[in-house]
Amino acid sequence: MDILIMYIKVFVVGGAICTIAQVLINYTKITAGKILVYFLLAGVLLQAVGLYQYLVDFAGAGATVPICGFGYLLADGAIKGAKISLFKAITGGISAAAMGITAAIIFGYIFALIFKSKSKKN
C-alpha cells in the first residue's frame, strides 16, 4: 500500500507541474523556451531558499524529473559545493548534474544519427 501512495504522490506533483506548464502554453503568449527557463529558475530559487527539498522528500521523482527538478539539482550541487570551497560552489551544480547532461548529449547524438531532421511546416 505504501508503494501505491508513493506512486499517487509522484503522479499528482509531477502532473501538477506539467499542468501548470501546459496552461502557460495554452493561455499565454509565453514561448515554450521561456517557460523552460522560468521553471528551471523556479527550481533553483526554491532550492536556494530551502523549499524545493520538501517537495522532493514528499514526491520523489514527481519533483525531480520535470525541468524544475534540474534547477533544484544544480542549486543543490552548488550549495553542497559551497560548503567545501569556492571552486566547488562554482562547479558543484554541473558535477551534480553531470550524468543527466552526459546522457542527454549521447542520446541526442544517437537519435540525430538515426532520424532525419526536418523543419516544422506551419
Side-chain angles (χ1 to χ4, degrees):
M1 195 62 167
D2 290 339
I3 293 174
L4 179 63
I5 292 171
M6 186 58 185
Y7 279 133
I8 291 170
K9 288 179 186 178
V10 168
F11 179 77
V12 168
V13 171
I17 292 169
C18 293
T19 300
I20 293 168
Q22 191 63 49
V23 166
L24 289 173
I25 290 169
N26 290 347
Y27 297 108
T28 67
K29 293 187 185 243
I30 303 172
T31 62
K34 286 183 181 179
I35 292 170
L36 285 172
V37 171
Y38 294 152
F39 273 51
L40 183 115
L41 291 175
V44 169
L45 293 174
L46 288 173
Q47 180 59 17
V49 296
L51 295 177
Y52 205 85
Q53 186 64 49
Y54 294 115
L55 191 60
V56 170
D57 293 340
F58 175 75
T64 58
V65 170
I67 192 70
C68 50
F70 183 68
Y72 150 78
L73 185 63
L74 291 173
D76 190 53
I79 291 168
K80 288 178 181 174
K83 294 176 182 174
I84 299 169
S85 70
L86 177 62
F87 180 73
K88 286 285 190 180
I90 295 168
T91 61
I94 300 298
S95 297
M99 185 170 44
I101 294 168
T102 303
I105 291 169
I106 290 172
F107 287 119
Y109 180 72
I110 290 170
F111 283 106
L113 292 175
I114 296 171
F115 298 102
K116 183 178 177 184
S117 63
K118 300 180 212 173
S119 297
K120 183 177 178 181
K121 302 214 186 310
N122 291 332

